[in-house]
Amino acid sequence: MALTEPRPLKVLTSALATHLSRFNGAARELQALGVRLLQILPTENRLVIQPEDGRRLQAQRLTGSFQRHATAGSTRYAVKFRGVTLEWSEPISATRPEDWAVATLH
């Protein structure tokens, strides 16, 4: 015999619900602080933000666990905020003093 009453499908486990609640809380808090979220990646527990916002959060000491990954053309930064990883990247020339960016005569 088939069931006549449909049973509700439970997709979220309690652990996943807790994780998503924490992730959403961090994202909302960042938005309240004026941080623009460029990418929202809940399955990776990661938010991609603008470089200016990342530097501002660091200056205000709201982040922890700073990591810097230099590549050929840019530098990627990763920090922790309320258990969520925040990432941003900057072109290498962005971190140079302005006098380095002018043309050099040899």
Side-chain angles (χ1 to χ4, degrees):
M1 295 190 139
L3 269 175
T4 56
E5 293 181 26
R7 291 189 301 175
L9 179 62
K10 185 172 182 175
V11 178
L12 289 178
T13 63
S14 61
L16 181 56
T18 302
H19 166 75
L20 286 175
S21 175
R22 188 176 310 128
F23 182 84
N24 288 339
R28 285 187 184 109
E29 187 174 346
L30 287 168
Q31 288 178 318
L33 290 170
V35 175
R36 183 171 177 208
L37 305 178
L38 302 177
Q39 287 183 339
I40 300 170
L41 306 161
T43 57
E44 299 174 24
N45 198 37
R46 185 167 54 106
L47 296 165
V48 179
I49 62 173
Q50 292 182 330
E52 302 81 28
D53 292 329
R55 288 190 298 269
R56 183 170 48 88
L57 290 171
Q58 279 191 289
Q60 294 174 349
R61 299 182 186 261
L62 296 174
T63 60
S65 181
F66 178 81
Q67 293 180 358
R68 180 177 179 264
H69 306 279
T71 61
S74 65
T75 303
R76 185 174 50 98
Y77 298 92
V79 296
K80 289 286 187 179
F81 177 82
R82 309 285 188 256
V84 176
T85 301
L86 304 181
E87 283 188 359
W88 69 91
S89 62
E90 298 179 7
I92 289 178
S93 60
T95 58
R96 295 179 181 167
E98 288 185 25
D99 60 346
W100 289 13
V102 297
T104 304
L105 300 174
H106 293 276

